[in-house]
């Protein structure tokens, strides 16, 4: 939960599907005037909202809106829409709130109600801010404030100034933010709008903390605290107390001279919030109060007191049926128990947190800011803390079945995270669909080692399963150091005129592979399957170097985003049906790929099948072919890019950029057919150096498309080199004795022996993703 900048609501698990109501009806039944007056509905909505019951408030205001519309009362119809949108935004239903507000703006324009139009615009600005669109939020809020000043509507001006301050904070315009908050507070105070005045004061103090103006920030908070005590108990009053308490705690850590006094004040402010929450029966807010108090004791190194307070938070969140709070306190319980050395109990608490999180995860993720690492840095921490605790428990055990069970449980925990992370990237159910048809992969991998790195902040652990056993190696390198080495290696690897990459290739080999060599030799391993984590997704493991040779010269190599995401059925070479697609011409500002013609002709000579080249390479033609025939291999030779946002990832067709979402929809036609798509090849794609999120998209392309395997490139290479490697890969693939991983190994080694293309910058970017058999 985030209390700072008090415009966003608390996380919410319940889902409300609100329809835009017309005179004919909607999802919520319209209450006739004889049963409840429209004014009663509006008042009831305010009551629910003040108590933090946002779904009930939305329902009441939506009913009122429909009634007002039926009676032709346009101003109140518009006002009810605005109120309903506010309640919806508090429970994370931003899209539905936006639709209501757009209707409100249109109605306000049609019926000439500028003050309502400014209100609705202000709320639209707030919604933009909630999803991280600061520039557009600022523009919309400034326009709404301009209308409010012209009216003039002073209460609305005060509200919009506070919201404008929030937008300025998002854009790091700190002095502009303080000015807006100060004006809002003074104006609201003059209008006796005490809640708004206090909110703006608190927000200004938060900015002053950021800018190091600690005395000013402390004074504002103390004044806001005194004013808040005089307000009637309400949801907003509770939120304000909690924000003041957390802010005073933060200041106590900066102002060491007054630390003890500020710590006491912070504790008292949080307790004030708990008492107000009790007074209105707001169990969820009460749980946050106890939880924040527990945080303070944890930071003071007092885990036993923290644990007791967290138990009170759990009890309150259970009473309030608030799973979005409960999972946090179970998570904290695991952390406290781990600090107390009670590892088994800690694991159970972490597991309860994960079990509580899973049904509401997508709802919570929808409220995260649009930042590439938001998912990993927020929800991901739970999974990694549980994994770390499980590994700590294995340190206490000798080799044996119990230890192995815990190591597999550790891997399963990170598997759950990887599946959730990929689902967050693609924003659909392709991951769940894929998992539903997977069998345990360790049971179908003879002479194969599955290498599973887990990158913690202070180290990297590698779990390696082979021969029915699992082993653990710990690499004493911090995540920061590892990422720096990886990024440097990747950047230098693309410089094909130098060998500056080599020291980094050898360093990474020493870290990640050398500790595994005794076991790899003992079990006569031929194939390595990496399940990379984080930055490790951005590099080709094939180019790691032991000082004598590249890793690809010793082992066939594949990569997969997750073991539970890999369909382990082998390729049926007797049933190959190929669709070859490509661009040779330069279109839409992209360079031509003259060797694609020969590449596709070579594939036709090997497997036959259908082709779509240049002017025939159109989305509608791909869809037609997909519907008419059951291809087992789809080969696409065209420019492509994987981006941190899947909507900005694409494959270039003759007339458009086909997004990965669109490509997935086309390829997804195979998901439920008897004949699966065995292989999707994208032979001219690229990802940016250091872009872990883009590499996640590349790793998940097979899953998104419903293919068992994908062959794709981490960066764009010379299309002649690509054509040579692709032809040799497919030539080797036709031999039934070789797996796909071994076919790629032979193709990459053949380029290693090429006079021109021996540099790994040419052959290493080709990755075999998912099924390697």
């Amino acid at each position: 939960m985030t209390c700072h900048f008090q415009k966003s609501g608390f996380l919410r698990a319940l889902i409300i599907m609100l329809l835009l109501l017309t005179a004919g009806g909607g999802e919520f039944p319209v209450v006739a005037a004889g049963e409840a007056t429209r004014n009663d509905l509006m008042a009831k909505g305010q009551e629910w909202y003040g108590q933090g019951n946002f779904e009930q408030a939305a329902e009441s205001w939506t009913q009122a809106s429909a009634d007002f519309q039926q009676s032709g009362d346009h101003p109140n119809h518009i006002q009810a829409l605005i109120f309903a949108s506010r309640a919806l935004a508090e429970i994370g239903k931003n899209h539905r709130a936006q639709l209501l507000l757009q209707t409100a703006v249109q109605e306000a324009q049609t019926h000439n109600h500028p003050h309502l139009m400014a209100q609705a615009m202000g709320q639209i600005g707030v919604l933009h801010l909630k999803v991280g669109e600061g520039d557009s939020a600022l523009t919309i809020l400034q326009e709404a404030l301009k209308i409010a000043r012209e009216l003039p509507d002073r209460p609305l001006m005060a509200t919009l100034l506070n919201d404008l301050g929030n937008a300025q904070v998002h854009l790091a315009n700190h002095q502009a933010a303080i000015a807006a908050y100060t004006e809002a507070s003074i104006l609201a105070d003059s209008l006796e709008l005490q809640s708004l005045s206090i909110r703006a004061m608190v927000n200004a103090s938060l900015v002053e903390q950021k800018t190091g103006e600690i005395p000013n920030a402390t004074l504002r908070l103390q004044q806001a605290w005194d004013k808040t005590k005089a307000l009637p108990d309400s949801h907003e009053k509770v939120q304000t107390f909690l924000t003041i308490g957390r802010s005073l705690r933060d200041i106590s850590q900066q102002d060491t001279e007054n630390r003890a006094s500020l710590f006491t004040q912070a504790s008292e402010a949080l307790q004030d919030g708990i008492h107000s929450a009790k007074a209105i029966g707001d169990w969820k807010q009460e749980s946050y109060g106890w939880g924040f108090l527990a945080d303070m004791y944890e930071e003071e190194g007092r885990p036993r007191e923290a644990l007791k307070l967290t138990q009170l938070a759990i009890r309150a969140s259970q009473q309030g049926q608030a799973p979005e709070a409960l999972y946090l306190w179970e998570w904290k319980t695991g952390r406290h128990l781990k600090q107390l050395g009670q590892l088994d109990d800690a694991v159970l608490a972490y597991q309860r947190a994960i079990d509580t999180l899973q049904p509401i995860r997508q709802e919570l993720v929808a409220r995260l800011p649009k930042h590439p690492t938001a998912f990993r840095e927020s929800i991901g921490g739970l999974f990694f803390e549980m994994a770390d605790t499980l590994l700590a428990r294995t340190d206490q055990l000798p080799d044996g079945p119990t230890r192995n069970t815990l190591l597999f449980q550790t891997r399963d925990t990170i598997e759950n995270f990887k599946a959730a992370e990929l689902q967050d990237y693609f924003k659909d159910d392709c991951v769940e669909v894929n998992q539903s048809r997977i069998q345990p992969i360790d049971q179908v991998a003879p002479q194969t080692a599955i290498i599973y790195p887990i990158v913690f902040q202070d180290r990297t652990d590698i779990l390696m399963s082979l021969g029915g056993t699992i082993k653990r190696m710990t690499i004493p390198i911090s995540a920061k150091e590892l990422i720096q080495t990886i990024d440097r290696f990747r950047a230098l690897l693309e410089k094909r005129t130098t060998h500056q990459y080599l020291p980094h290739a050898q360093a990474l080999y020493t870290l990640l592979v050398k500790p595994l060599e005794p076991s790899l030799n003992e079990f006569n391993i031929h194939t390595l399957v990496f399940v990379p984590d984080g930055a490790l997704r951005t590099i080709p493991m094939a180019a790691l170097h032991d000082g004598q040779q590249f890793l690809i010269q010793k082992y066939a190599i594949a990569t997969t985003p997750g073991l539970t995401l890999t369909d382990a059925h082998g390729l049926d070479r007797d049933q190959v049906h190929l669709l070859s697609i490509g661009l040779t011409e330069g279109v839409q500002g992209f360079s031509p790929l003259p060797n694609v013609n020969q590449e596709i002709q070579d594939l036709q000579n090997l497997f036959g099948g259908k082709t779509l080249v240049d002017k025939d390479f159109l989305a509608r033609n791909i869809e037609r072919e997909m519907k008419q025939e059951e291809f087992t291999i789809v080969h696409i030779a065209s420019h492509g890019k994987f981006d941190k946002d899947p909507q900005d990832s694409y494959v270039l067709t003759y007339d458009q950029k086909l997004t990965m979402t669109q490509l997935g929809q086309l390829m997804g036609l195979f998901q439920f057919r008897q004949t699966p798509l065995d292989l999707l090849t994208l032979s001219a794609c690229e990802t940016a150096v250091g872009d872990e999120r883009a590499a996640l998209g590349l790793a998940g392309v097979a899953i998104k498309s419903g293919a068992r395997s994908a062959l794709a490139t981490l960066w764009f290479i010379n299309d002649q080199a690509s054509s040579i490697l692709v032809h040799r890969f497919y030539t080797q693939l036709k031999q039934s004795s070789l797996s796909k991983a071994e076919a790629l190994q032979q193709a990459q080694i053949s380029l290693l022996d090429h006079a021109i293309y021996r540099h790994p910058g040419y052959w290493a970017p080709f990755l075999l993703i998912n099924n390697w058999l």
Side-chain angles (χ1 to χ4, degrees):
M1 170 192 165
T2 302
C3 278
H4 290 192
F5 307 108
Q6 303 170 63
K7 203 58 184 169
S8 61
F10 294 114
L11 300 173
R12 194 73 188 173
L14 300 176
I15 299 176
I16 300 177
M17 296 303 291
L18 291 171
L19 301 175
L20 280 175
L21 298 179
T22 61
E27 180 169 349
F28 293 116
V30 177
V31 180
E35 298 176 45
T37 67
R38 293 180 286 275
N39 289 336
D40 286 341
L41 288 168
M42 293 292 279
K44 196 64 179 174
Q46 294 285 5
E47 181 183 342
W48 286 125
Y49 190 89
Q51 294 175 358
N53 295 321
F54 301 121
E55 62 269 36
Q56 291 94 334
E59 178 178 350
S60 187
W61 282 327
T62 304
Q63 291 177 350
S65 171
D67 258 7
F68 284 128
Q69 187 180 38
Q70 282 184 323
S71 67
D73 186 342
H74 301 298
N76 278 315
H77 167 57
I78 298 166
Q79 188 68 74
L81 286 174
I82 295 170
F83 286 165
S85 73
R86 194 172 297 161
L88 285 169
E90 292 285 3
I91 55 174
K93 308 307 278 184
N94 296 333
H95 178 65
R96 182 59 57 191
Q98 181 97 352
L99 292 177
L100 293 180
L101 289 168
Q102 288 170 353
T103 300
V105 168
Q106 291 167 0
E107 292 281 308
Q109 286 178 322
T110 301
H111 300 288
N112 193 27
H113 296 296
H115 67 291
L116 291 172
M117 185 168 73
Q119 271 193 57
M121 288 175 62
Q123 281 301 113
I124 291 173
V126 170
L127 284 180
H128 278 253
L129 193 58
K130 283 187 70 175
V131 298
E133 297 172 359
D135 289 324
S136 59
L138 183 66
T139 300
I140 295 166
L141 288 166
Q142 286 173 333
E143 186 61 30
L145 181 60
K146 180 181 177 183
I147 297 171
R149 289 189 191 278
E150 290 172 352
L151 288 171
D153 185 333
R154 297 178 74 214
L156 180 57
M157 286 166 53
T159 298
L160 291 170
L161 281 163
N162 182 68
D163 295 337
L164 191 64
N166 292 345
Q168 297 286 18
V169 169
H170 182 85
L171 297 170
N173 299 327
H174 294 137
Q175 293 309 311
I178 292 172
Y181 289 139
T182 302
E183 185 181 354
S185 181
I186 293 170
L187 181 55
D189 202 40
S190 72
L191 297 168
E192 298 186 356
L193 299 173
Q194 291 304 314
S195 291
L196 179 56
S197 176
I198 292 166
R199 190 188 316 147
M201 288 176 66
V202 171
N203 286 341
S205 77
L206 297 174
V207 182
E208 287 169 334
Q209 287 177 55
K210 283 188 173 185
T211 58
E213 301 171 67
I214 300 302
N216 284 349
T218 304
L219 181 60
R220 281 195 203 256
L221 284 174
Q222 291 167 337
Q223 291 173 342
W225 186 14
D226 288 338
K227 285 188 171 187
T228 304
K229 293 175 182 178
L231 296 177
D233 290 319
S234 68
H235 172 77
E236 184 171 10
K237 180 179 180 179
V238 178
Q239 277 194 308
T240 302
F241 275 138
L242 298 185
T243 300
I244 290 170
R246 298 197 82 194
S247 300
L248 287 169
R249 180 206 66 183
D250 292 342
I251 290 175
S252 74
Q253 295 171 341
Q254 298 173 264
D255 187 353
T256 54
E257 185 176 342
N258 299 300
R259 180 184 176 94
S261 171
L262 288 166
F263 184 92
T264 300
Q265 291 176 50
S267 176
E268 290 175 356
L270 291 175
Q271 290 179 60
D272 285 343
I274 292 169
H275 293 149
S276 287
K278 285 179 178 291
I280 62 173
D282 192 338
W283 289 103
K284 184 170 72 169
Q285 298 294 337
E286 181 186 335
S287 84
Y288 282 118
W290 292 121
F292 294 156
L293 269 176
D295 287 345
M296 291 178 61
Y297 282 91
E298 180 186 9
E299 289 163 3
E300 290 291 303
R302 298 160 67 180
R304 292 191 187 280
E305 292 98 322
L307 180 60
K308 291 177 182 178
L309 291 167
T310 304
Q311 294 305 310
L312 293 173
I314 287 174
R315 188 183 308 164
S317 58
Q318 288 172 332
Q319 289 285 346
Q321 298 181 352
E324 70 276 20
L326 178 59
Y327 98 90
L328 289 172
W329 311 137
E330 293 286 14
W331 180 354
K332 294 280 187 174
T333 297
R335 186 178 296 170
H336 302 326
L337 289 167
K338 183 182 179 186
Q339 290 170 342
L340 292 168
Q342 301 174 34
L343 298 185
D344 289 336
D345 289 337
V347 168
L348 293 175
Y350 282 127
Q351 190 60 59
R352 288 195 301 271
I354 290 173
D355 292 343
T356 304
L357 169 67
Q358 294 294 32
I360 60 170
R361 177 171 48 79
Q362 291 186 51
E363 185 78 7
L364 299 188
V365 167
R367 305 180 201 188
L368 293 175
K370 289 186 176 179
H371 189 276
T373 59
F375 182 84
R376 176 175 282 262
E377 290 176 356
S378 56
I379 292 172
L382 169 59
F383 296 87
F384 280 86
E385 283 186 34
M386 179 171 172
D388 188 46
T389 305
L390 286 164
L391 291 173
R393 183 71 180 94
T394 67
D395 290 336
Q396 301 174 344
L397 298 170
D399 288 339
T402 302
R403 189 173 189 273
N404 280 354
T405 297
L406 289 175
L407 289 174
F408 279 116
Q409 188 179 352
T410 302
R411 196 181 72 179
D412 290 345
T413 299
I414 300 300
E415 273 292 298
N416 288 337
F417 166 73
K418 288 178 181 292
E421 185 179 34
L422 203 58
Q423 192 165 4
D424 171 61
Y425 179 83
F426 286 121
K427 308 295 184 189
D428 64 19
D429 63 354
C430 63
V431 173
E432 291 180 355
V433 170
N434 195 73
Q435 284 181 306
S436 67
R437 50 190 173 85
I438 300 302
Q439 66 185 93
I441 204 162
D442 290 312
Q443 299 174 15
V444 290
Q447 294 186 304
T448 298
I450 296 171
I451 300 173
Y452 208 106
I454 305 175
V455 181
F456 296 103
Q457 287 301 310
D458 62 338
R459 70 186 193 281
T460 292
D461 276 279
I462 298 177
L463 301 181
M464 179 173 66
S465 53
L466 70 179
T469 67
I470 187 167
K471 298 177 180 291
R472 174 194 175 195
M473 277 67 63
T474 298
I475 314 302
I477 184 172
S478 70
K480 182 178 179 180
E481 291 176 283
L482 180 63
I483 291 169
Q484 288 173 344
T485 303
I486 287 168
D487 288 349
R488 191 67 181 144
F489 172 55
R490 165 68 191 270
L492 292 173
L493 201 55
E494 293 187 44
K495 297 175 67 174
R496 297 162 200 161
T497 57
T498 79
H499 290 83
Q500 293 175 318
Y501 69 87
L502 196 54
H504 303 283
Q506 292 171 347
L508 287 169
Y509 184 97
T510 300
L511 285 170
L512 301 174
V513 181
K514 190 174 181 60
L516 314 179
E517 285 182 337
S519 295
L520 297 176
N521 294 332
E522 177 186 351
F523 286 88
N524 192 29
I525 296 301
H526 294 168
T527 301
L528 305 182
V529 179
F530 287 91
V531 190
D533 182 35
L536 288 168
R537 298 189 189 105
T538 68
I539 58 171
M541 296 297 179
L544 302 190
H545 200 278
D546 69 358
Q548 301 295 324
Q549 56 186 338
F550 291 103
L551 189 61
I552 195 64
Q553 294 172 283
K554 302 166 73 171
Y555 304 100
I557 296 171
T559 184
T560 177
L563 297 180
T564 60
L565 304 172
T566 303
D567 185 344
H569 292 87
L571 175 68
D572 185 350
R573 289 164 176 79
D574 295 328
Q575 300 294 325
V576 169
H577 190 25
L578 173 69
L579 175 62
S580 304
I581 306 171
L583 279 181
T584 67
E585 302 176 17
V587 297
Q588 302 174 58
F590 286 81
S591 60
L593 299 171
N595 289 282
V596 165
N597 257 333
Q598 186 60 52
E599 182 176 320
I600 289 179
Q601 184 58 54
D602 289 341
L603 293 178
Q604 291 296 295
N605 293 339
L606 284 169
F607 295 110
K610 295 288 188 72
T611 63
L612 295 173
V613 180
D614 290 334
K615 292 182 180 179
D616 292 327
F617 182 8
L618 305 172
R620 64 176 181 271
N621 291 343
I622 299 173
E623 182 175 11
R624 183 196 66 226
E625 295 293 342
M626 296 291 187
K627 287 180 177 178
Q628 289 179 354
E629 304 200 35
E630 295 191 355
F631 298 102
T632 59
I633 298 177
V634 174
H635 180 94
I636 302 177
S638 177
H639 293 283
K641 178 184 177 183
F642 284 89
D643 189 86
K644 59 177 64 70
D645 185 341
Q647 295 305 317
D648 293 329
S649 301
Y650 64 85
V651 170
L652 192 71
T653 70
Y654 190 79
D655 64 342
Q656 69 177 99
K657 290 178 179 177
L658 192 68
T659 69
M660 288 301 159
T661 298
Q662 294 168 322
L663 179 65
Q665 289 168 348
L666 291 174
M667 300 297 163
L669 294 170
F670 289 99
Q671 284 188 350
F672 304 104
R673 292 184 178 180
Q674 279 191 322
T675 304
L677 181 60
D678 269 310
L679 177 64
L680 170 66
T681 297
L682 301 170
S683 65
C685 288
E686 59 180 319
T687 62
V689 174
D691 194 336
E692 296 178 25
R693 187 79 170 169
L696 175 64
L698 177 64
V701 67
I703 294 162
K704 180 66 176 175
S705 64
R708 286 175 172 167
S709 307
L711 178 66
T713 51
L714 274 169
W715 59 84
F716 179 75
I717 64 172
N718 176 298
D719 80 307
Q720 184 176 3
S722 175
S723 294
I724 294 171
L725 188 145
V726 164
H727 177 241
R728 292 183 180 175
F729 167 73
Y730 281 109
T731 300
Q732 297 292 330
L733 191 63
K734 204 166 185 184
Q735 300 181 29
S736 59
S737 61
L738 295 180
S739 68
K740 282 175 276 195
E742 290 166 336
L744 179 59
Q745 179 190 28
Q746 295 304 315
Q748 290 179 309
I749 288 174
S750 70
L751 244 64
L752 245 175
D753 296 331
H754 195 284
I756 300 174
Y757 300 127
R758 62 187 309 168
H759 190 283
Y762 291 108
W763 53 261
F766 279 89
L767 300 183
L768 181 65
I769 301 165
N770 267 33
N771 181 306
W772 65 91
L773 300 174

